[in-house]
Amino acid sequence: MTQLSMSPQLTSSAPESAQSAQQAPRADHRVLDLEQKARLVSGGDTFRSSGEPAIGMHPLVCSDGPVGVRGERWDETDTALLLPCATALAASWDEELVARMGGLLAAEARRKGVHVVLAPTLNLHRSPLGGRNFECFSEDPLLTARIGAAYIAGVQSRGVAATAKHYVANDSETERLTVDARVDERTLREVYLAPFEAAVRAGVWAVMSAYNRVNGTSMVEHPLLAEPLKGEWGFDGLVVSDWGAVHEADGPGAGACDLAMPGPNPAWGPALAAAVRAGRVPERALDDKVERLLRLAERVGAFDPPAPGGPAPVPTDPVTRGALRAAAVAGTVLLHNPERLLPLEESALRRVAVIGPNAATARVQGGGSASVFPAAPLSPLAGLRAALDPSVEVTHAPGVRTNLRPTPLAAADCLLPDGSARGVLVRYLAADGSLVHAEARSTGRVLEPSAEVDLAPVRTIEVATRFTAPSAGRWRLGVVGLGALRLEADGKALLEEYVEPLSDDPTYLHVSPSFRQAELELAAGQEVALLARRTVESAHGRVLVLAADPPEAELEREFAHAVELAAAADVAVVVVGTTDEHESEGFDRAGLRLPGRQDELVAAVAAANPRTVVVVNTGSPVLLPWRGRVGAVLTCWFPGQEGGAALAEVLLGRAEPGGRLPTTWPDAEADCPVYSTAPADGRLDYAEGPHLGHRGWLRAGRTPAYWFGHGLGWGEWRYLALGAPSAPAADGSRTVRVALRNDGPRRSRETVQLYLSRPGSELDRPVRWLAGFGTAEAGPGERVEVELRLPARALQHWSVAERAWRTEPGTFVLQAGPNCGELPLAAALPVG
């Protein structure tokens, strides 16, 4: 089966036509005066650029959207399709599928009137602690490059701009606004810049500069934006700052940053015009920024009038849902299945226990700016109940809780203050206490008001409801927000405090600010009127959450009940993992253990029932100390809104888990070759050079729990032969053929991986590195041959002295197999 490539391979050839064409914008910037040009390259508001009526250009509308296009507001009434997280997409190792998902995002962007999707994130999983790893594709530059290029092709196929971010070395969250990443030039070129180079060759229309510094210089004014991005690579698109990263006009203005977001920004706009007039910023630099902005506006249709009316309803058709379900299946990785417990024999099931804190709640995405309000998220419990025959009894218990922050109230336990319906009432009040707007909502979490709210007069926000306690005990009632906070129960104040912000990080201010809690004794079924109030100050965001968490005694009962259900079941499915509280933009993880008592829960369930399947619902690796004591382990990552249905298909054998690990999973934190993300005196040294991820494991001679590329399916693949590489083609690439056979009982799909090594090299090289991959599919006993492309770049290194790509003469070794640690085939590759 021939490998299909949806994206350009990384080579040393000239940029592809998508970038070299230098498309001329429709409008001529020369008709604009200095102030107009400076305003045009400045943000108009939070997610819109400035328009310019003089040339007929409307504002460019941007949206966060790695796996769901949120639009311009965080509003639970404005839902979005939610794809599997970026790591899950990369786990598919399937460029065609990822391109289709990109097309789906583009359709969502068009539905919401969005021109620019602020994705994909092409940073790497340098450390497993990276808080935003779920938003990045993998630990490997080649896999990230190919999956990222496919994503970009899909998004831009429908006239929506993709944005390659965050350029560059923005691979962790600790001190992310100021950290200085110290990376040597060769490592930058071969590892961290490589996915961005692939994005440019795929024709990406926008690149976002990162918050951080690299080797002492802020990325918003770094020379790397000019070379190699705009010069050597020929990028003709727009460089947009990360939100709030531009703090002065001179450096970024004279450099290669083109658009400062958001706006209005006092450090840009008029200040930029003044810098040009004073000669501190060359006018030709401003003209280049304007021309690039106009080119992007032409590409995405910003010279055309906006579509009339509001957005269409979110798609709920079977085809769309089926595509999301297929993507979740393709990224699901079966890690462990020694006795072939999976797939489950459906006809033998009478009682299934679905256990764990992530079983009944759909934990489908990470936290931060990547998050959306999903259209119809399906939990693992709901997915299994829908898939199984009604005669099968499906029991459930969470067993443990993992919350780090207060749990927003849900409509199921709440009535509006007037008792007319379930939900909470949100009120927006002016300074004199008069009502600006009121609306009913389904949860106690309010990030932003509905679109129709006039925010100008709003000075206070209230959330009120009548809460009925499901169980007796001391309930922890909470309020999340900044400024003057008040929490009331039946009209009496439980807490009243002014909460100062602890950070100016946008994620903290606008998504997860500080919280306060108080305890209140409640009887089971007791109703209490709750109210949370906060003031609104311009620099403190508008988040307000009214929350309630159950008594501690109930948690102990839940653990015992879960084990009892498991013991009485034909099979126990334990869904453990993290949530958007544990993995999020804005902070890194503190460790790799599952939060709370989840490890203890798995061990107790496995002791009660050997037929235990553990589903790991995370965006990044976690430790699995019990993995040898359970029947099967799989990871579904953060699987998007159809995750519950996809999991049911895999567990019941209706679909094969297609995923392979895009990042190495450790057995112990101490074994990780790159672990800490904590800067020292503001600096984070990438001292490992190119040896991150599996490369670092190989260099250290350590064996992880599961190697990069690992994943099982329904087949049993035997690798038979590795053919001699072909002579180089015109672009320097070679063709390599791998023969293999499926000796398993079912039809199966295999991801064939090709690695290179260079014994005796004079250079500091990885022990081996990923050089290519493709897929094979075969029925029982069938032999197939896979054709893999080995690009010229896979054999090259960056020469710092010559500032060019060079190939070291000698003999390279090719190896092929199912993962980085299992490569049964090898062949020599002499290079002159």
Side-chain angles (χ1 to χ4, degrees), residues 1 3 721-727 733-739 752-756 771-772 785-791 814-816 827 829:
M1 181 176 180
Q3 170 208 7
L722 174 61
S726 68
S733 66
R734 303 164 191 259
T735 299
V736 179
R737 290 180 171 82
V738 179
V752 181
Q753 299 162 44
L754 189 67
Y755 293 81
L756 273 172
E785 190 171 87
V786 182
E787 189 175 278
L788 305 176
R789 182 175 180 269
L790 178 66
L814 281 169
Q815 291 178 276
L829 175 57

Side-chain angles (χ1 to χ4, degrees), residues 725-782:
S726 68
D731 64 356
S733 66
R734 303 164 191 259
T735 299
V736 179
R737 290 180 171 82
V738 179
L740 60 167
R741 185 178 65 241
N742 176 15
D743 289 343
R746 298 181 59 164
R747 187 166 190 84
S748 182
R749 185 175 184 270
E750 172 76 333
T751 298
V752 181
Q753 299 162 44
L754 189 67
Y755 293 81
L756 273 172
S757 60
R758 177 60 171 81
S761 176
E762 296 182 1
L763 303 166
D764 177 22
R765 294 183 182 269
V767 173
R768 56 180 171 267
W769 60 94
L770 182 69
F773 59 88
T775 59
E777 189 170 341
E782 186 179 352

Side-chain angles (χ1 to χ4, degrees), residues 407-427 439-446 462-469 477-478 486-492 494 520 522 526-533 544-548:
T407 305
L409 286 173
D413 300 320
C414 295
L415 288 174
L416 296 177
D418 64 5
S420 61
R422 295 204 172 275
V424 303
L425 178 68
V426 183
R427 300 192 338 139
E439 59 189 25
R441 291 197 170 229
S442 60
T443 75
R445 184 180 187 228
V446 181
E462 292 182 347
V463 178
T465 193
R466 287 160 52 181
F467 169 66
T468 300
L477 305 177
R486 181 178 172 90
L487 177 62
E488 295 180 3
D490 288 335
K492 297 179 181 179
L494 295 180
L520 182 66
L522 295 172
Q526 181 179 348
E527 184 181 274
V528 59
L530 299 178
L531 181 141
R533 178 188 297 130
L544 179 61
V545 180
L546 177 57

Side-chain angles (χ1 to χ4, degrees), residues 154-168:
V155 170
Q156 295 187 172
S157 68
R158 302 194 182 190
V160 174
T163 308
K165 67 181 189 182
H166 309 84
Y167 188 94
V168 63

